[in-house]
């Protein structure tokens, strides 16, 4: 069985690397994007099983990415976990309403983040496929 | 020319005095348009029509006397300068008015055209100055908030980076770590977490200052919250070898509040308690009811620490205050914790204070409003001075199909509550405010003044209506049930108030059992 593929979207290369190390150690494959535009392009190309998304991004912020993902039939089923330095009071509700599956403020607790990643993956796997 | 004094509202009931003022105004250099009314009510009506440049105000009017008069005017036209026309004998009152926001006063019969004009002009100028000061104060506050929000965001990114890589090293993801290295890494992690908490407090304090903290009050089981806070702080206490205990009266009713925020206050007070208590000491968290103040629960965090000097006690809840004499062998924080705690408690409608004897420990106490079921129930379950014959507790539970719950779960629950409100008879049934839960399941409770047979009909209606909610089926599993509420024996001669109170106690217990069964 192949490992689930997670796309990491963050403009900070160090944070991308840290997440990649953490996820690989937990048997996930990863792909990376550093801005909103390449995140959307990469989502089409790689069709990841889950996306970890920063909100403050160059070339289309996280909300633009969320919106684009939601509007595509194939991509809208991918669970998105928002991981941002922004303040939950101002961003959490908006992110969840925009279709995010969960919201974490940086720095997030690793164990908690991994739990939610695993739960979101199993939820989306069990989700009935709607007839098109 | 558009003169700033163009329009003056004169509120004066004595025709002689009014004429005199008008005469002085006509004599003056500036052409003024005067609207003269005799009663306060007419003056307030005139303010709604057109805002004058200045209000000339007599304090003793047919429909309002003394301080009340200028208070009403200031309330209704906070931006219009007011000059009081006072009698010889009430200059003291006029002085009081000045302290409360009136710009100037003139003693009747003792002013000339020029002094009247000057008083009005100065009043206009000063008012404008005040307004611009207030505006720049607000701008500065807003600027500070934005700045802090930006700073805390920017600080979080490098903080996250350190946190991530330290945990990667600690978890052995980059190779084996020897015990010494592990120790050092733990120290870094602890410091990073402290830094993170400070960044959070900084933003929170600036928000508190500008009234931007939001609370979402619910029905909260305070005992559970206290136990939760104590469990979270137990490792910290253990590390310092300080005992941490709970003493909660099991029968404390529900509290009305925001569980997350109350937890913040508790953790803050417990953390302080541990910090200032030497090894071997103890911190105890208590909750109890006080007979003289029946609408509140009293929560105290008692420590056996170093205590607080009397002069520090008054300042301890101030922003940034830190007792310079505090015996504190741990690192100092920003001095924002108690300030934030006070703001949060105040937002809940409670009070916070400290009692302490220097050298003999401190007790921090705060109050939270009790959620008074009896008060809510009274109009619903009584009819013609009697308790209704049948009362039923209907329980509607919604369990998310998947965990963690999907985005929008909160919204779905909110919509359910709204639908539920429409399924009941307003004067006969009561939808209880939502209870705090761990988020895994939402339970709504309705106290219905009806018998079990009609309750069945009600439940069918609830199922039907909630079933119509879009997405509900895919979001959660719905369960509706009902049980009769045992009523007090009327033969015991209890007053109606006491009967309702007894029903409230019974319902409270049933709710507790229902929630515990989830």
């Amino acid at each position: 069985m192949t490992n689930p593929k997670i796309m990491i979207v963050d403009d900070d290369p160090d944070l991308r690397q840290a997440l990649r190390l953490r996820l690989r150690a937990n048997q996930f494959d990863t792909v990376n994007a550093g801005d909103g535009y390449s995140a959307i392009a990469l989502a089409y190309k790689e069709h990841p099983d889950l996306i970890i998304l920063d909100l403050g991004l160059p070339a289309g912020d996280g909300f633009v990415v969320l919106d684009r993902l939601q509007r595509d039939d194939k991509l809208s089923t991918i669970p998105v976990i928002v991981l941002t330095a922004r303040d939950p009071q101002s961003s959490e509700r908006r992110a969840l309403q925009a279709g995010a599956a969960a919201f974490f403020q940086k720095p997030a607790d690793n164990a908690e983040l991994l739990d939610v990643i695993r739960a979101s993956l199993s939820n989306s796997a069990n989700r009935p496929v709607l007839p098109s | 020319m558009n003169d700033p004094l163009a329009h003056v509202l004169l509120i004066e009931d004595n025709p002689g005095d009014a004429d005199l003022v008008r005469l002085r105004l006509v004599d003056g250099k500036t052409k003024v348009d005067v609207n003269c009314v005799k009663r306060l009510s007419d003056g307030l009506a005139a303010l709604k029509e057109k805002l004058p440049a200045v209000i000339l105000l007599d304090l003793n009017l047919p429909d309002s006397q003394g301080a009340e008069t200028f208070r009403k005017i200031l309330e209704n036209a906070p931006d219009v300068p007011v000059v009081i026309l006072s009698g010889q004998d009430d200059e003291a009152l006029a002085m009081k008015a000045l302290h409360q926001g009136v710009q100037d006063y003139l003693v009747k019969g003792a002013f000339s055209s020029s002094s009247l004009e000057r008083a009005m002009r100065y009043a206009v100028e000063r008012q404008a100055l005040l307004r611009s000061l207030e505006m720049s104060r607000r701008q500065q506050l807003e600027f500070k908030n934005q700045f802090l929000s930006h700073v805390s965001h920017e600080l979080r990114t490098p903080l996250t980076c350190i946190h991530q890589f330290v945990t990667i090293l600690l978890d052995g993801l980059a190779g084996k770590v020897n015990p010494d290295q592990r120790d050092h890494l733990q120290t870094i992690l602890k410091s990073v977490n402290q830094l993170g908490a400070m960044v959070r407090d900084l933003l929170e304090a600036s928000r508190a200052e500008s009234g931007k903290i939001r609370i979402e009050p619910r029905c909260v089981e305070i005992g559970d919250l206290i136990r939760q806070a104590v469990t979270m702080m137990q490792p910290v206490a253990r590390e310092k070898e300080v005992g941490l205990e709970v003493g909660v009266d099991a029968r404390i009713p529900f509290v009305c509040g925001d569980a997350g925020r109350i937890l913040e206050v508790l953790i803050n007070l417990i953390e302080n308690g541990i910090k200032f208590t030497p090894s071997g000491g103890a911190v105890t968290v208590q909750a109890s009811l006080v007979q003289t103040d029946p609408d509140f629960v009293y929560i105290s965090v008692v420590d056996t620490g170093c205590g607080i000097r009397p002069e520090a006690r008054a300042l301890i809840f101030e922003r940034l205050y830190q007792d310079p004499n505090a015996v504190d062998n741990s690192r100092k924080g920003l001095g924002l914790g108690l300030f934030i705690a006070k703001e949060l408690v105040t937002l809940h409608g409670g009070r916070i204070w400290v009692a302490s004897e220097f050298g003999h420990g401190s007790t921090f106490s705060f109050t939270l409003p009790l959620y008074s079921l009896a008060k809510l129930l009274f109009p619903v379950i009584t009819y013609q001075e009697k308790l209704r014959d049948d009362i039923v507790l209907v329980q509607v539970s919604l369990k998310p199909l998947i965990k963690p719950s999907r985005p929008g779960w909160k919204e779905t629950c909110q919509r359910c509550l709204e639908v539920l409100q429409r399924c009941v008879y307003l004067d006969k049934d009561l939808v209880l405010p939502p209870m705090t839960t761990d988020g895994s399941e939402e339970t709504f409770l309705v106290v219905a003044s009806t018998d079990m047979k009609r309750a069945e009909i009600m439940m069918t209606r609830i199922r039907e209506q909630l079933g119509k909610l879009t997405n509900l089926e895919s979001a959660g599993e719905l369960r509706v049930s009902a049980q009769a509420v045992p009523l007090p024996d009327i033969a015991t001669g209890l007053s109606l108030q006491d009967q309702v109170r007894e029903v409230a106690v019974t319902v409270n217990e049933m709710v507790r059992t229902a929630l515990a069964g989830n």
Side-chain angles (χ1 to χ4, degrees):
Chain A
M1 207 180 109
T2 55
N3 291 336
K5 186 171 17 174
I6 296 180
M7 179 165 94
I8 302 164
V9 188
D10 201 306
D11 59 336
D12 187 311
D14 295 334
L15 285 184
R16 286 203 301 269
Q17 199 207 343
L19 261 177
R20 199 175 64 225
L21 285 170
R22 172 74 52 189
L23 291 173
R24 293 227 165 137
N26 286 277
Q27 281 74 51
F28 295 111
D29 286 344
T30 58
V31 289
N32 288 320
D35 63 75
Y37 179 81
S38 43
I40 293 159
L42 199 63
Y44 276 108
K45 183 167 165 262
E46 295 279 344
H47 206 283
D49 298 297
L50 185 139
I51 298 173
I52 294 179
L53 179 66
D54 187 15
L55 287 180
L57 294 169
D61 73 359
F63 289 110
V64 174
V65 176
L66 266 174
D67 184 56
R68 284 293 298 274
L69 294 173
Q70 287 297 313
R71 276 193 284 154
D72 187 285
D73 285 348
K74 286 202 182 96
L75 301 183
S76 66
T77 54
I78 305 175
V80 179
I81 294 173
V82 167
L83 178 61
T84 178
R86 285 193 197 170
D87 175 39
Q89 186 166 318
S90 59
S91 303
E92 179 168 13
R93 205 190 175 94
R94 192 174 156 210
L96 294 182
Q97 276 169 350
F103 181 100
F104 282 91
Q105 189 182 25
K106 290 176 186 170
D109 181 77
N110 289 314
E112 221 177 296
L113 181 64
L114 285 166
D115 277 353
V116 171
I117 288 174
R118 290 195 188 99
S120 301
L121 282 171
S122 70
N123 286 339
S124 72
N126 296 336
R127 198 176 293 177
V129 181
L130 297 170
S132 50
Chain B
M1 204 185 91
N2 201 357
D3 191 278
L5 289 183
H7 181 64
V8 173
L9 175 63
L10 171 60
I11 308 177
E12 168 66 83
D13 62 327
N14 183 324
D17 287 340
D19 279 346
L20 195 65
V21 172
R22 221 177 288 174
L23 205 63
R24 294 274 185 264
L25 285 171
V26 171
D27 280 353
K29 282 188 219 132
T30 319
K31 208 172 157 341
V32 180
D33 153 40
V34 190
N35 178 16
C36 182
V37 297
K38 289 191 169 63
R39 305 170 67 89
L40 179 68
S41 56
D42 295 337
L44 294 176
L47 283 172
K48 283 204 181 97
E49 291 274 304
K50 182 182 181 184
L51 279 185
V54 186
I55 299 169
L56 297 176
L57 181 66
D58 176 21
L59 290 183
N60 292 320
L61 300 168
D63 56 343
S64 173
Q65 272 84 42
E68 186 62 23
T69 311
F70 64 75
R71 245 177 251 136
K72 284 232 173 84
I73 288 285
L74 292 176
E75 212 175 279
N76 282 276
D79 287 336
V80 181
V82 178
V83 176
I84 283 183
L85 303 171
S86 105
Q88 301 275 3
D89 47 354
D90 54 4
E91 277 197 65
L93 181 61
M95 282 303 289
K96 187 176 160 196
L98 287 186
H99 289 300
Q100 299 196 12
V102 160
Q103 286 297 353
D104 205 349
Y105 73 93
L106 294 164
V107 178
K108 282 183 198 174
F111 58 85
S112 63
S113 290
S114 61
S115 59
L116 173 59
E117 191 177 328
R118 198 175 58 217
M120 295 199 307
R121 278 201 188 283
Y122 283 9
V124 170
E125 291 300 321
R126 273 196 301 267
Q127 189 83 18
L129 201 64
L130 273 181
R131 209 178 313 158
S132 82
L133 272 178
E134 172 61 20
M135 232 158 77
S136 84
R137 193 190 68 86
R138 265 189 226 158
Q139 272 169 357
Q140 272 177 14
L141 200 62
E142 186 55 30
F143 174 76
K144 195 176 88 182
N145 279 340
Q146 275 175 8
F147 173 73
L148 280 176
S149 160
H150 181 74
V151 165
S152 69
H153 175 255
E154 291 306 309
L155 289 176
R156 267 181 193 285
T157 304
L159 206 66
T160 305
C161 208
I162 304 172
H163 180 267
Q164 282 296 328
F165 282 101
V166 170
T167 53
I168 280 170
L169 292 176
L170 266 174
D171 294 348
L173 302 187
K176 231 174 141 50
V177 184
N178 73 35
D180 270 353
Q181 289 168 336
R182 170 170 300 276
D183 254 17
H184 301 331
L185 288 170
Q186 289 286 9
T187 309
I188 303 180
L189 187 61
K190 210 170 104 188
S191 297
V192 168
N193 288 339
Q194 274 176 359
L195 205 54
M198 284 188 213
V199 169
R200 192 198 55 221
D201 282 358
L202 210 56
L203 190 62
E204 190 90 328
S206 99
R207 230 187 246 142
E209 208 182 4
S210 52
K212 279 190 182 157
I213 293 188
R214 281 196 302 253
I215 58 164
E216 291 175 22
R218 290 189 141 212
C219 202
V220 176
E221 161 81 286
I222 190 70
D224 273 358
L225 270 187
I226 291 176
R227 279 182 283 272
Q228 203 179 325
V230 164
T231 308
M232 284 167 80
M233 295 309 294
Q234 207 59 264
V236 185
R238 218 172 290 140
E239 195 185 331
K240 207 181 161 187
E241 289 171 12
V242 168
L244 180 54
E245 286 140 37
V246 186
V248 180
D249 182 348
R251 290 184 57 87
I252 284 194
F254 293 106
V255 158
C256 186
D258 186 319
R261 298 305 199 174
I262 298 172
L263 198 62
E264 245 178 83
V265 175
L266 283 167
I267 286 181
N268 185 296
L269 296 183
I270 297 173
E271 203 170 22
N272 272 348
I274 297 173
K275 197 166 161 185
F276 294 106
T277 300
S279 297
V283 174
T284 312
V285 190
Q286 299 163 340
S288 55
L289 297 177
V290 171
Q291 261 185 350
T292 47
D293 194 5
D295 294 332
F296 289 86
V297 61
Y298 280 59
I299 300 153
S300 298
V301 178
V302 187
D303 67 53
T304 59
C306 53
I308 305 160
R309 287 171 197 276
E311 62 271 24
R313 242 172 273 154
L315 297 167
I316 204 159
F317 293 103
E318 297 286 314
R319 195 166 50 103
L320 300 178
Y321 180 80
Q322 288 179 318
D323 185 359
N325 299 311
V327 187
D328 175 14
N329 46 17
S330 67
R331 252 171 275 178
K332 291 204 170 169
L334 291 173
L336 292 172
L338 286 176
F339 169 71
I340 296 171
K342 182 180 146 203
E343 291 297 314
L344 290 176
V345 169
T346 312
L347 271 176
H348 278 87
R351 300 182 291 125
I352 188 167
W353 70 96
V354 61
S356 177
E357 197 182 327
F358 188 64
H360 292 96
S362 313
T363 300
F364 282 85
S365 306
F366 64 101
T367 62
L368 289 172
L370 284 174
Y371 162 68
S372 171
L373 192 57
K375 250 186 224 160
L376 289 174
L377 280 180
F378 194 90
V380 177
I381 62 168
T382 62
Y383 178 66
Q384 291 183 344
E385 305 295 310
K386 269 187 0 219
L387 212 57
R388 289 188 194 261
D389 298 332
D390 295 286
I391 299 168
V392 170
L393 181 69
V394 179
Q395 183 182 349
V396 180
S397 308
L398 201 59
K399 200 175 188 168
L401 286 184
I402 51 174
K403 273 186 177 181
S405 50
R406 272 204 197 168
W409 173 251
K410 260 189 179 170
E411 267 76 18
T412 305
C413 293
Q414 185 55 36
R415 284 227 307 282
C416 282
L417 187 62
E418 283 159 18
V419 170
L420 207 55
Q421 300 274 13
R422 292 202 296 270
C423 291
V424 301
Y425 291 112
L426 272 187
D427 298 327
K428 283 183 72 185
D429 309 325
L430 175 74
V431 180
L432 301 185
M435 303 279 163
T436 39
T437 58
D438 56 1
S440 63
E441 176 161 340
E442 189 80 37
T443 301
F444 304 104
L445 293 145
V446 184
V447 177
S449 302
T450 184
D451 56 23
M452 282 304 280
K453 214 169 120 198
R454 281 164 190 270
E456 287 294 338
I457 301 172
M458 183 176 185
M459 279 155 56
T460 312
R461 192 165 65 226
I462 289 173
R463 276 193 209 99
E464 259 175 35
Q465 293 295 320
L466 285 183
K468 279 185 193 160
L469 266 183
T470 45
N471 293 333
L472 184 63
E473 219 165 292
S474 61
E477 179 195 326
L478 180 70
R479 273 181 296 130
V480 188
S481 62
Q483 48 183 323
V485 177
L487 299 182
D489 190 356
I490 309 169
T492 53
L494 283 175
S495 73
L496 185 59
Q497 299 279 354
D498 285 340
Q499 289 179 40
V500 172
R501 221 166 284 149
E502 202 154 298
V503 172
V505 170
T506 312
V507 170
N508 250 337
E509 285 312 307
M510 288 169 77
V511 168
R512 231 182 266 267
T513 318
L515 289 182
N518 280 341

